[in-house]
Amino acid sequence: MTQITTAPIDGQKPGTSGLRKKTPVFMGPHYLENFVQAIFDAIGGAAGKTFVLGGDGRYFNDRAAQVILRMAAANGAARMIVGQGALLSTPAASHMIRLRRTDGGIILSASHNPGGPDADFGVKFNMPNGGPAPEAVTGAIFARTAEIREYRIAESQDLDLSRPGETRLGGMVVEVVDPVSAYADLMESLFDFNAIRGLLQAGFRLRMDSMNAVTGPYAVEILERRLGAAPGTVVHAVPLPDFGGMHPDPNPTWAHELMAEMMSGDGPDFGAASDGDGDRNMILGRGIYVAPSDSLAVLAANAHLAPGYAGGLKGVARSMPTSSAVDLVAKARGIECFETPTGWKFFGNLMDAGRVSLCGEESFGTGSDHVREKDGLWAILMWLNILAVRRESVAEVMQDHWRTYGRNYYSRHDYEGLPSDSADAMMAALRDRLTALPGQVIEGMAIAAADEFAYTDPVDGSVSAGQGLRVVFEGGSRLVLRLSGTGTSGATLRLYLERYEPAGGDLGLDPQQALAPLIRAAEELAGIAAASGKTAPDVIT
Ligand code: G1P
Ligand code: ZN
């Protein structure tokens, strides 16, 4: 065991989901080591503990895993459970942490950000409940990075992580496990695989785009092997260090190949994609894109059709910028609905307390209390289970949903790569105006309320302030603006737009058309064009 002298490195502050930086930054001297030692220190040391380790397979995943194993051994960990090839999807890691009753896990991923020597890398600590560390813990990790003076690392050659089995590193057991099987078993316990198999046998056609990221092996095992979808159903199925140059974010912009196939007129009945680490999903039917906020609402309304949720839902939760479509379902079902800040870590307490079973975010994240992360393949299987029982197309399910609950037209506009100071100044200027806004009329719409969202956790009472600027209009339409907490360079502005159309109204509009007055109002209120130097968003979802 070696003690290495080090010094604090600026900026190791975890964001919305772990610490994300450019890969060369993570590969710089002591960078990874300082952060990992800070994790161990902040959780009271690693001695005698068992952790899960795995990642999404992006560039540097393999070498970072070896460093972390050596550090865990030197810090006295008893056992590390590592996905074969150092791979684990984020939801599979969450499951493994829970299944094996471990002391937590380290996940190597920058999620939906591109990978490669000049792209992004990330490290995240998850708690023994399987969920991302809450702010108190990420704050303690960050504080530790600011005072660190040494880290511990064992001297050893790289371990062979290519085959399941146990080896030792000093006094620590390294257990390499198949990353897929336990997760696939969990999915099989929640969903009616026979019904889905029947649907596929009846000629229902499926396309899954794993975007050269971690879900490839999971999707092939579950969809093709266990459910009998045709070989080749899963495309881009091999995880690659640079995701084959793809930007592994399952949205209409980045999953454009899948989009084109699904919109071609004679495309498959169902299409889906997932992101770098497998926690996001995009759902498509032939000729129809399902907005993530709508997907959450549809899953809430139909979850009882899947065996794992046959008893009904305890409650639901959504992040604040997510549309309130799911609120309408919760109201109709008489169950609780919570509004949390952006980021999955805020759902953990609610799930642990048994208050909610289904959660979602507008950013292509949906999941349940089967793990403590959002879960892309889970959402895809839930949809397939619902379609198998209802024997309707995706478009028919959506029409029926809107005719029952009304439609929450929704869109998110992202402005990327803004200079941080102009983005901050724009937000500050709007923040200053908030109290004066109610009563004003913009684009013919009267402002009913405006505030900056703050959240008090109903379980532990912790307060998270500064979670997004909201402007709500009479009738319930709203704008939300916030700056991304997952980027690795400059600032990304997210503008969230929502307008509610009741069940009897015009349910078939193009969302960008339906939201046009709100888009103009946002420009008037915030001056996005001037602050960003852009006349249009970079990504529209
Ligand atoms: C983004 C999404 C957020 C999600 C997070 C991690 O964070 O907006 O909903 O939880 O990625 O996947 P942001 O960049 O907006 O801080
Ligand atoms: Zn992700």
Side-chain angles (χ1 to χ4, degrees):
M1 197 260 274
T2 311
Q3 310 249 107
I4 305 283
T5 301
T6 187
I9 299 173
D10 277 349
Q12 294 199 318
K13 187 175 169 52
T16 310
S17 181
L19 182 66
R20 288 195 198 163
K21 296 288 170 194
K22 290 288 170 209
T23 312
V25 173
F26 253 109
M27 293 178 73
H30 306 314
Y31 198 93
L32 172 68
E33 291 86 346
N34 275 16
F35 189 67
V36 170
Q37 187 64 52
I39 292 174
F40 289 148
D41 292 348
I43 61 170
K49 293 182 179 172
T50 295
F51 298 106
V52 168
L53 173 66
D56 62 15
R58 69 181 58 225
Y59 186 86
F60 190 50
N61 185 100
D62 48 358
R63 281 170 284 168
Q66 298 284 351
V67 169
I68 293 169
L69 288 174
R70 287 200 278 273
M71 290 187 66
N75 278 275
R79 178 180 289 261
M80 292 295 278
I81 302 169
V82 192
Q84 191 176 351
L87 290 181
L88 276 173
S89 78
T90 291
S94 181
H95 178 51
M96 191 63 72
I97 291 168
R98 297 164 63 78
L99 182 71
R100 298 289 303 273
R101 299 182 195 286
T102 64
D103 299 289
I106 295 179
I107 300 175
L108 309 174
S109 170
S111 187
H112 50 286
N113 296 10
D118 300 314
D120 291 355
F121 194 76
V123 175
K124 171 165 113 160
F125 182 72
N126 278 32
M127 305 294 282
N129 75 346
E135 281 186 339
V137 176
T138 56
I141 295 170
F142 178 51
R144 190 66 197 141
T145 66
E147 59 192 24
I148 191 163
R149 296 281 164 221
E150 60 181 29
Y151 61 81
R152 288 178 282 288
I153 188 159
E155 282 187 47
S156 153
Q157 298 298 319
D158 282 358
L159 297 170
D160 179 5
L161 304 178
S162 68
R163 272 170 311 205
E166 286 193 5
T167 46
R168 294 190 84 88
L169 177 53
M172 182 179 86
V173 178
V174 178
E175 178 185 344
V176 178
V177 296
D178 172 5
V180 176
S181 57
Y183 175 83
D185 293 347
L186 174 66
M187 293 300 112
E188 205 159 350
S189 76
L190 295 172
F191 300 114
D192 187 344
F193 273 34
N194 279 330
I196 301 174
R197 231 174 264 127
L199 180 73
L200 294 170
Q201 276 159 8
F204 184 92
R205 285 192 300 136
L206 191 61
R207 169 69 67 226
M208 166 76 195
D209 192 338
S210 284
M211 303 188 85
N212 296 319
V214 78
T215 59
Y218 296 84
V220 169
E221 169 66 17
I222 294 170
L223 299 176
E224 297 185 8
R225 296 212 189 95
R226 297 200 186 190
L227 288 168
T233 292
V234 185
V235 294
H236 301 125
V238 178
L240 299 173
D242 65 349
F243 305 121
M246 290 180 93
H247 185 151
D249 199 359
N251 64 38
T253 302
W254 296 119
H256 47 84
E257 273 179 48
L258 175 69
M259 268 315 263
E261 187 181 7
M262 296 304 297
M263 299 300 154
S264 67
D266 61 350
D269 298 284
F270 183 85
S274 56
D275 74 330
D277 62 330
D279 57 358
R280 293 186 172 199
N281 73 90
M282 176 171 72
I283 301 294
L284 302 162
R286 187 184 302 115
I288 183 169
Y289 157 75
V290 181
S293 294
D294 279 344
S295 177
L296 174 64
V298 168
L299 296 192
N302 293 279
H304 59 278
L305 301 178
Y309 307 85
L313 303 175
K314 294 167 185 153
V316 294
R318 62 166 171 84
S319 66
M320 183 275 283
T322 303
S323 96
S324 45
V326 73
D327 303 37
L328 303 173
V329 176
K331 196 166 168 223
R333 293 287 149 88
I335 56 175
E336 278 194 293
C337 179
F338 297 88
E339 184 178 47
T340 61
T342 296
W344 207 261
K345 57 179 177 265
F346 295 100
F347 295 134
N349 275 350
L350 295 168
M351 290 192 270
D352 286 348
R355 305 274 296 265
V356 305
S357 16
L358 199 73
C359 307
E361 295 194 273
E362 51 64 43
S363 52
F364 301 83
T366 338
S368 87
D369 55 0
H370 66 291
V371 291
R372 292 293 180 275
E373 290 277 5
K374 56 193 179 228
D375 189 343
L377 275 165
W378 172 91
I380 292 161
L381 291 165
M382 180 71 115
W383 262 96
L384 288 173
N385 195 146
I386 291 166
L387 295 174
V389 174
R390 290 182 55 154
R391 292 283 167 153
E392 289 172 308
S393 69
V394 174
E396 285 163 347
V397 169
M398 292 314 303
Q399 301 301 340
D400 176 59
H401 189 87
W402 293 328
R403 277 197 293 264
T404 307
Y405 296 97
R407 179 169 180 184
N408 295 71
Y409 284 105
Y410 188 85
S411 184
R412 185 177 102 184
H413 290 190
D414 291 337
Y415 294 81
E416 296 175 348
L418 310 191
S420 290
D421 44 2
S422 42
D424 289 341
M426 186 202 73
M427 292 293 282
L430 181 57
R431 186 179 292 115
D432 286 347
R433 288 179 60 194
L434 288 176
T435 48
L437 287 179
Q440 291 188 26
V441 176
I442 297 196
E443 289 291 324
M445 303 176 298
I447 298 176
D451 68 357
E452 181 161 33
F453 181 55
Y455 177 68
T456 303
D457 187 300
V459 179
D460 66 15
S462 59
V463 176
S464 301
Q467 298 293 334
L469 308 182
R470 309 191 275 197
V471 179
V472 184
F473 298 88
E474 302 288 353
S477 292
R478 64 172 189 157
L479 303 172
V480 175
L481 287 92
R482 59 180 282 282
L483 298 181
S484 159
T486 57
T488 54
S489 61
T492 293
L493 169 69
R494 305 204 192 284
L495 166 64
Y496 308 84
L497 306 139
E498 178 177 1
R499 175 191 138 191
Y500 179 64
E501 185 73 25
D506 210 343
L507 301 173
L509 299 175
D510 168 60
Q512 301 307 317
Q513 299 293 322
L515 297 166
L518 281 167
I519 295 168
R520 288 194 297 271
E523 176 57 33
E524 269 183 59
L525 282 166
I528 298 168
S532 66
K534 298 178 188 228
T535 50
D538 296 287
V539 178
I540 295 181
T541 54

